[in-house]
């Protein structure tokens, strides 16, 4: 039996309704867990005052400089003692899940046993960072709980100015639209930079996200400093018999309204015999028609990745999307994987040397210009990197002839 | 004393030992999928193997009893393997169709709504809020619980024009991310500065550098080094608060909620889009934030009625135009909707294209 629970009239109102209630979960834990009793006390206080009461600090595990999110209460009584002492330390361990977030129940049960022993019993699957968040741990128990999880084969994720926990979609494990070995790319990239993850020393965070197609289920263009998106460069596959069946099933109007006319580059046409005509040169691999006619249409065979750099959320200069730096890259052989690891290394090294403190990769590129960034990491310009050429004439072009020569030389080599 | 245990720097775990055997066997060799009913995916591999996935909503922040219950369900009625989507839905994979119905029934009985697939409103991706964040102006899990209670029917059905991704964020950094609908804190007053604490708690040049509009400068107050704010310049973003907690941005009354629409991650049809501000000034009203729920439900109802199949929220608004969006939703259009951030001129109408 734990200490007496606090009255929580506000939180109690979140127990009703059809959606699973985290409050009911907190209460169950509070039955025999003082930390949860007091956590609920503090949370209820926040619900009344509309204020947060956590501050950060320095808590970690031996050998690492990051990965634990320290939380100490700021809610004090008149004697400057914590008002809810059993939850005065409520740290989170960020633990990296298996790529694609697959689990067997034995692993989840082991997590529960460890967290019941050392922590609050509250686990989030998963945080926005892509980590399993083991929430609610005293400073004293951070090390033993990490040791137990680490012995199971799990490692801390990223926090602070570091390479962060990566994310990859379910991809090849269960999706016919997958154009990549997502988990392998995810693991290759993150695991190559574990030193930059565990010992934060970059200007700011750096995130990898891998989506197997342009549906970008991992939100990587919006959120990743380096986004790897699956695509293909040969022709998409069309099973014309399935196309015909789809037309019979849905009707011509549906197909014209929802497939043909929705193509962003007018690359589709429905033939008079209800087969599909595809202009593969005009297709931008947006995935819409494949999403709608999933059985009839598939990615081609010559698969690879488009790489975009610089996506991030608002802080500091406003939201930025990633922009293309590699239009297409094969990712099949060991040499291909070495090449992407090398590219990521170039980018991270350049970021480490050139970004200002607390500046993301996208902001750095905004400040110095894409040309300087490309030069710094050793990539050639490509018209796939732009939405349109510059529209402002204020540019110095005295190197034009040499640059044009380089373009023709590259074309001749291709 | 023995040497401390050093970590095994194992990094991202290999997923194959955890993966459902049918997924492992057919890795990279899937043919197509369909959805036999909301909340259920049916994937067919090139080998002919089939797998059914039952997707259910969770509270994300789960106690060990809930996780063990989900494990019991996975062991008894599924095949012992699960995965999570990035929106905290749990997925149970089974290799026989006959296992689907009992699994759906059990999950529903145990209070885990089955849905979130196809054109539904899936689980809200969210942040930590008052439960764990050091800079939140509102809660996250509570807002999401309150909203998902209201949107439950849209989660278990597939009746939207296309999928709807909602996000929430408890500060203006917007960790919740882009969404078809994003519900974000919007501070409306400059931070109140506790001048007694700044000198000791904050690295002042860092704080000055953090301000996006250069509104913060060093100052002396009562003989102590501190910071001051040009309140006319301040955009109330709160970026100074994380590196300097004495710059109190969170305000129980004046930190409001704003609603943004039309964010889209996917490249399908249109390029990825950012969400745009449509409503602000909504009260931060725990425990159920009814004003936010009403605004979100209104926008969803208009979108559901008016958008064409496969149009995401942002696609739909681009087709009908923003004047129609404000007309149809009844939301007021104000000067705050006009983008005056750097580069914001691209968001103005530089044409004679007007819908009448």
């Amino acid at each position: 039996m734990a200490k007496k629970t606090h009255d929580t009239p506000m939180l109690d109102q979140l127990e009703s309704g059809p959606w699973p209630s985290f409050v009911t979960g907190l209460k169950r834990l509070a039955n025999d867990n003082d930390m949860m009793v007091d956590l609920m006390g503090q949370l209820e206080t926040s619900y009344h005052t509309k204020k947060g009461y956590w501050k950060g600090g320095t808590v970690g595990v031996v050998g690492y400089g990051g990965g634990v999110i320290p939380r100490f209460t700021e809610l004090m009584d008149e004697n400057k003692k914590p008002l809810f002492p059993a939850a005065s330390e409520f740290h989170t361990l960020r633990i990296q899940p298996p790529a694609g977030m697959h689990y067997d129940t034995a692993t989840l049960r082991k997590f529960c046993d460890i967290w019941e022993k050392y922590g609050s019993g509250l686990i989030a699957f998963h945080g926005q960072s892509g980590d399993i968040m083991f929430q609610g741990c005293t400073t004293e128990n951070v090390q033993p709980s990490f040791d137990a999880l680490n012995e199971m084969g799990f490692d801390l994720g990223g926090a602070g100015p570091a390479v962060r926990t990566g994310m990859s979609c379910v991809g090849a494990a269960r999706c016919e639209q997958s154009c990549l070995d997502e988990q392998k790319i995810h693991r290759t990239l993150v695991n190559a930079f574990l030193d930059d993850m565990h010992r934060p020393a970059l200007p700011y965070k750096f995130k990898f996200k891998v989506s197997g197609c342009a549906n970008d289920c991992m939100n990587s263009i919006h959120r990743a400093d380096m986004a790897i998106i699956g695509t293909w460069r040969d022709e998409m596959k069309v099973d014309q018999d399935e196309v015909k069946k789809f037309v019979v099933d849905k009707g011509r109007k549906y197909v014209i309204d929802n497939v043909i006319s929705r193509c962003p580059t007018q690359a589709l046409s429905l033939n008079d015999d209800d087969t599909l005509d595809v202009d593969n040169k005009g297709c931008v691999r947006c995935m819409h028609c494949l999403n709608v006619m999933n059985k009839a249409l598939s990615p081609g065979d010559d698969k690879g990745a488009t790489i975009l750099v610089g996506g991030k959320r608002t802080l500091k200069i406003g939201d930025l999307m990633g922009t293309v730096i590699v239009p297409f890259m094969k990712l099949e052989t060991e040499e291909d994987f070495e090449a992407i690891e090398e590219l990521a290394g170039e980018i991270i090294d350049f970021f480490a040397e050139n970004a200002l403190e607390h500046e993301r990769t996208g902001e750095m590129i905004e400040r110095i210009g894409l040309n300087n960034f490309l030069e710094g990491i050793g990539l050639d310009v490509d018209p796939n990197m732009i939405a349109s050429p510059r529209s402002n004439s204020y540019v110095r072009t005295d190197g034009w002839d040499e640059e044009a020569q380089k373009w023709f030389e590259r074309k001749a080599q291709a | 004393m023995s040497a401390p245990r050093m970590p095994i720097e194992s990094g991202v775990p290999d997923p194959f030992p955890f993966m459902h055997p049918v997924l492992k066997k057919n890795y990279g060799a899937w043919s197509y999928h369909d959805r036999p009913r909301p909340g259920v995916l049916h994937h067919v591999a090139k080998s002919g193997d089939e797998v059914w996935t039952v997707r259910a909503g969770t509270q994300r922040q789960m106690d060990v009893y809930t996780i063990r219950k989900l494990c019991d369900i996975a062991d008894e009625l599924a095949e012992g393997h699960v995965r999570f989507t990035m929106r905290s839905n749990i997925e149970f994979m089974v290799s026989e169709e006959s296992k689907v119905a009992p699994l759906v029934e059990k999950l529903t009985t145990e209070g885990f709504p089955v849905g979130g697939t196809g054109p539904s409103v899936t689980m809200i991706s969210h942040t930590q809020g008052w439960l764990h964040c050091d800079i939140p102006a509102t809660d996250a899990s509570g807002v999401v619980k309150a909203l998902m209670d209201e949107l439950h029917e849209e989660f278990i059905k597939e009746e939207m024009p296309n999928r709807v991704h909602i996000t929430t964020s408890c500060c203006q950094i917007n960790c919740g991310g882009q969404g078809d609908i994003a519900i974000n804190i919007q501070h409306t007053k400059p931070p109140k500065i506790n001048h007694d604490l700044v000198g000791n708690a904050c690295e002042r040049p860092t704080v000055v550098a953090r301000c996006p509009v250069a509104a913060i400068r060093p100052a002396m107050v009562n003989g102590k080094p501190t910071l001051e704010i040009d309140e006319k310049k301040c955009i109330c973003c709160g970026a100074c608060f994380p590196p300097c907690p004495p710059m109190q941005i969170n305000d129980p009354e004046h930190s409001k909620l704003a609603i943004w629409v039309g964010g889209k991650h996917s490249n399908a049809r249109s390029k990825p889009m950012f969400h745009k501000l449509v409503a602000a000034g909504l009260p931060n009203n725990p425990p159920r934030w009814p004003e936010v729920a009403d605004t979100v439900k209104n926008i969803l109802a208009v979108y559901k009625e008016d958008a064409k199949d496969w149009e995401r929220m942002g696609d739909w608004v681009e087709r009908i135009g923003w004047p129609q969006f404000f007309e149809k939703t009844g939301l007021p259009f104000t000067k705050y909707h006009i983008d005056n951030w750097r580069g914001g001129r691209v968001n103005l109408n530089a044409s004679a294209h007007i819908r009448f």
Side-chain angles (χ1 to χ4, degrees), chain A residues 116-373:
Chain A
E116 203 166 45
K117 182 172 174 191
Y118 295 110
S120 72
L122 189 68
I123 310 175
F125 290 96
H126 300 83
Q128 288 296 315
S129 63
D131 292 287
I132 316 165
M133 297 188 297
F134 289 82
Q135 299 190 296
C137 190
T138 59
T139 307
E140 189 187 4
N141 276 349
V142 164
Q143 186 70 49
S145 56
F146 168 69
D147 289 343
L149 293 164
N150 196 214
E151 290 294 334
M152 278 178 73
F154 289 83
D155 198 0
L156 277 182
V163 166
R164 296 297 192 89
T165 300
M167 291 176 87
S168 53
C169 61
V170 66
R174 201 198 56 202
C175 182
E176 65 280 1
Q177 297 180 332
S178 161
C179 296
L180 296 172
D181 189 345
E182 298 84 1
Q183 62 83 26
K184 182 166 178 181
I185 301 166
H186 173 177
R187 297 185 67 223
T188 298
L189 291 174
V190 172
N191 290 351
F193 299 99
L194 289 177
D195 191 39
D196 282 317
M197 170 177 282
H198 294 314
R199 291 157 201 95
L202 295 176
Y204 199 19
K205 60 183 92 168
F206 190 94
K207 299 184 177 185
F208 296 108
K209 294 190 196 288
V210 187
S211 288
C213 77
N215 282 317
D216 194 5
C217 292
M218 292 297 101
N219 308 347
S220 58
I221 295 179
H222 280 147
R223 307 195 71 158
D225 298 278
M226 182 165 170
I228 296 93
I229 307 225
T231 189
W232 67 95
R233 59 182 174 182
D234 56 343
E235 300 193 342
M236 79 157 81
K237 292 184 181 171
V238 182
D239 181 334
Q240 296 290 6
D241 290 336
E242 287 295 337
V243 172
K244 286 184 189 173
K245 273 192 221 166
F246 190 85
V247 177
V248 169
D249 185 34
K250 294 283 192 177
R252 286 182 68 85
K253 181 176 166 54
Y254 181 92
V255 177
I256 292 165
D257 287 351
N258 289 287
V259 182
I260 309 297
S261 64
R262 289 283 171 74
C263 173
T265 53
Q266 288 90 50
L268 298 177
S269 176
L270 188 63
N271 296 321
D272 288 340
D273 64 354
D274 288 347
T275 57
L276 189 71
D277 201 22
V278 182
D279 168 14
N280 280 285
K281 280 304 239 187
C283 168
V284 288
R285 280 64 174 165
C286 85
M287 297 304 291
H288 173 75
C289 61
L290 283 82
N291 292 342
V292 182
M293 302 176 68
N294 173 269
K295 202 170 176 181
L297 308 179
S298 316
D301 289 320
D302 190 8
K303 294 169 177 172
T306 298
I307 297 175
L308 298 91
V309 163
K312 57 171 281 292
R313 291 297 288 130
T314 316
L315 252 185
K316 151 183 173 177
I317 69 168
D319 294 56
L320 296 176
M321 292 202 205
T323 60
V324 173
I325 61 155
V326 177
F328 187 85
M329 181 176 197
K330 289 297 275 184
L331 281 171
E332 281 165 10
T333 64
E334 287 312 310
E335 291 76 40
D336 296 339
F337 280 88
E338 279 165 28
I340 197 171
E341 188 181 318
E342 201 174 306
L343 174 66
E346 292 283 348
I347 293 171
I348 290 175
D349 285 349
F350 187 87
F351 171 61
E353 281 174 28
N354 293 283
L356 305 174
E357 191 205 334
H358 216 258
E359 186 175 58
R360 289 283 288 273
T361 306
E363 291 168 314
M364 173 189 70
I365 294 172
E366 179 100 354
R367 181 169 53 80
I368 67 173
L370 184 66
N371 285 331
N372 285 325
F373 175 70

Side-chain angles (χ1 to χ4, degrees), chain A residues 47 71 176 181 199 223 316, chain B residues 9 27 132 139 175 209:
Chain A
Y47 269 62
R71 289 294 176 253
E176 65 280 1
D181 189 345
R199 291 157 201 95
R223 307 195 71 158
K316 151 183 173 177
Chain B
E9 302 204 33
Y27 189 83
H132 197 263
D139 197 26
C175 301

